[in-house]
Amino acid sequence: MTYLSQEAERPKRIGSVPGHLVINRGREEGNSRLYHDYFSDNPTYGANLFRRRFRMHRSLFLRIVEAVREHDNFFVQKMDGVGKLGLSTLQKVTSAFRMLAYGTSADSTDEYVRIGESTAIVCLKRFCRAIVEVYGDEYLRTPNVDDVASNGKIVQQHAAWAGQYSGRHGGPTIILEAVASYDLWIWHAYFGLPGSNNDINVLQSSNLFDNLSQCIAPPAHYTIQGKNYDVGYYLADGIYPKWPTLVQTISNSDDKKKQYFAMMQEACRKDVERAFGVLQSRFAIIKGPARFWDKRTLHDIMTACIIMHNMIVEDERDEQEDVVISTPQSIPNAENMEITETERFQRFLARHKRLKNKEAHFALRNALIEHLWERHGNEAM
């Protein structure tokens, strides 16, 4: 006896389902209206309104549209079965983008874009996947040598994201671990850890310090109180472990130096909260409950939003600001390729131990306290 798979048993989709209402949406008219409203030489809505509704300048949006169309044939406008033009690239991308920017349902895009609910969902999923595949390596990378040199501070924080994993309050949550710099650029994002989450177990599962432990991270050279350092540090709150790569605030201290350090540390640590706030304001889909339960889709949506956020930061950065975002550069590995696996493993353990040296953590924090007080203590008097 021959058994057919579920795919083989399922009838192929060859048109409208008998009994279902066929809606003549007027795709051509919808595409014409969309083009004249925003993309013609003399659009109905000018540059300011475009920036407000699409979260970015038109030139950047069109650059994304072209890249997505070139990457995925799904976004190329085609003829349907009766010889009529189907949905345009602009209609498909605009539908996906409206859902990301406004956090609306797929059905709500139909009235303006003229696109069905199921098609709008497909557009969103494929758009986010295309963004990740086309721009992920460039706009969601770890800092290279130039990046480290141009950024004097990087901040770490965690934020909650609705999803399918159970959190400590019983509701579905996904934890987002993000690293952001003062110019709102998000350098690192880790999310999707199942189970009960907090700052500690997310940090332990994250790949944030992998490059450091493997000795392939770019060096961050600086001098504090006469001592030279070659490993950067992240600003964090008090729940994090006492690692020399994490500098925490100090609570409830009567010492003026420590009070001033805590004030400055917490002020800088607000950068990542500000970056995530801007991310949420640009892409409202992040604010509310997740509309999809598939882990891959949630990952693509969040990653695509972060990538486009970074693209907007780069596009709108003040030219006078002394910040350079350069193309990724390879970091030479200092390891001798001829060493044995045992020796390589021993070096890894030594670096890993160094990253978790508690005494080095307090030594760095005390040096920073004295350094800040010497340079800016008169401001706190």
Side-chain angles (χ1 to χ4, degrees):
M1 181 179 294
T2 302
Y3 292 93
L4 298 177
S5 65
Q6 291 184 353
E7 289 293 332
E9 293 175 351
R10 186 182 299 124
K12 293 183 178 179
R13 185 174 181 178
I14 57 175
S16 301
V17 179
H20 283 203
L21 178 64
V22 177
I23 302 176
N24 180 16
R25 289 184 165 84
R27 293 193 299 261
E28 297 86 349
E29 294 85 352
N31 181 57
S32 178
R33 181 173 59 249
L34 174 62
Y35 176 79
H36 288 293
D37 280 351
Y38 294 105
F39 301 100
S40 65
D41 293 335
N42 187 26
T44 304
Y45 304 103
N48 289 337
L49 283 175
F50 187 98
R51 170 64 180 80
R52 176 179 175 181
R53 294 171 181 174
F54 286 83
R55 309 307 197 239
M56 63 181 69
H57 295 309
R58 186 172 67 170
S59 59
L60 177 57
F61 184 82
L62 291 176
R63 171 186 155 198
I64 291 175
V65 169
E66 181 63 20
V68 168
R69 187 183 69 82
E70 291 292 330
H71 181 75
D72 188 346
N73 189 57
F74 169 80
F75 291 96
V76 177
Q77 189 175 31
K78 306 177 184 71
M79 292 285 186
D80 63 14
V82 295
K84 296 181 64 177
L85 278 174
L87 293 162
S88 71
T89 305
L90 286 176
Q91 285 174 293
K92 292 177 180 178
V93 175
T94 299
S95 171
F97 209 86
R98 287 291 174 92
M99 294 173 65
L100 294 173
Y102 290 97
T104 57
S105 64
D107 183 62
S108 65
T109 65
D110 186 15
E111 292 178 320
Y112 180 69
V113 184
R114 300 304 192 195
I115 184 171
E117 179 181 15
S118 60
T119 307
I121 292 174
V122 174
C123 289
L124 175 69
K125 292 180 178 180
R126 298 190 73 143
F127 175 76
C128 291
R129 181 96 293 264
I131 291 293
V132 173
E133 292 177 352
V134 173
Y135 294 113
D137 290 342
E138 181 179 1
Y139 288 96
L140 193 57
R141 67 179 190 272
T142 56
N144 57 44
V145 175
D146 292 333
D147 299 327
V148 171
S150 63
N151 285 280
K153 49 186 179 179
I154 297 178
V155 187
Q156 177 182 346
Q157 186 68 14
H158 295 90
W161 169 249
Q164 73 175 49
Y165 299 136
S166 179
R168 61 188 177 125
H169 297 297
T173 61
I174 285 182
I175 293 297
L176 168 67
E177 176 192 72
V179 175
S181 53
Y182 67 96
D183 61 347
L184 303 181
W185 188 284
I186 298 176
W187 293 102
H188 163 84
Y190 169 81
F191 45 88
L193 184 70
S196 179
N197 299 281
N198 56 47
D199 293 338
I200 301 301
N201 55 34
V202 171
L203 181 62
Q204 296 285 358
S205 302
S206 168
N207 61 352
L208 180 59
F209 298 112
D210 283 357
N211 287 348
L212 282 174
S213 62
Q214 296 173 25
C215 203
I216 59 175
H221 296 293
Y222 55 96
T223 302
I224 302 177
Q225 296 295 104
K227 181 177 180 180
N228 296 324
Y229 296 85
D230 58 4
V231 176
Y233 58 86
Y234 298 84
L235 304 182
D237 58 27
I239 195 174
Y240 289 92
K242 311 299 183 185
W243 296 354
T245 50
L246 296 172
V247 176
Q248 300 152 312
T249 187
I250 300 176
S251 303
N252 304 321
S253 175
D254 295 329
D255 188 291
K256 290 186 177 181
K257 294 181 181 180
K258 293 181 179 180
Q259 290 177 354
Y260 183 73
F261 168 81
M263 180 185 69
M264 296 297 292
Q265 195 266 12
E266 291 167 9
C268 291
R269 194 157 45 85
K270 294 294 182 181
D271 287 342
V272 74
E273 298 174 12
R274 184 167 57 96
F276 194 69
V278 173
L279 178 69
Q280 285 183 313
S281 67
R282 284 175 174 159
F283 301 103
I285 194 171
I286 296 174
K287 291 183 178 180
R291 297 186 181 278
F292 302 95
W293 293 95
D294 177 66
K295 290 186 292 185
R296 174 71 173 270
T297 302
L298 289 173
H299 179 277
D300 285 351
I301 288 174
M302 177 63 84
T303 306
C305 289
I306 291 174
I307 289 171
M308 289 188 290
H309 165 86
N310 284 347
M311 295 178 75
I312 296 170
V313 170
E314 179 188 64
D315 185 59
E316 300 184 354
R317 181 178 292 115
D318 187 350
E319 296 181 356
Q320 297 179 354
E321 185 176 6
D322 186 21
V323 175
V324 177
I325 300 299
S326 58
T327 56
Q329 300 179 2
S330 60
I331 306 301
N333 194 336
E335 295 273 3
N336 186 344
M337 299 305 295
E338 297 180 357
I339 65 176
T340 65
E341 288 298 320
T342 300
E343 187 176 356
R344 192 187 308 276
F345 182 66
Q346 292 298 327
R347 292 187 182 185
F348 169 81
L349 291 179
R351 290 192 300 267
H352 193 264
K353 183 178 180 180
R354 178 187 173 193
L355 290 178
K356 297 189 176 183
N357 188 319
K358 194 172 183 179
E359 293 181 359
H361 163 83
F362 286 108
L364 173 61
R365 191 175 72 175
N366 291 336
L368 286 170
I369 292 172
E370 295 297 329
H371 174 75
L372 282 174
W373 186 256
E374 289 178 1
R375 298 192 62 180
H376 306 287
N378 59 329
E379 300 175 5
M381 298 300 290

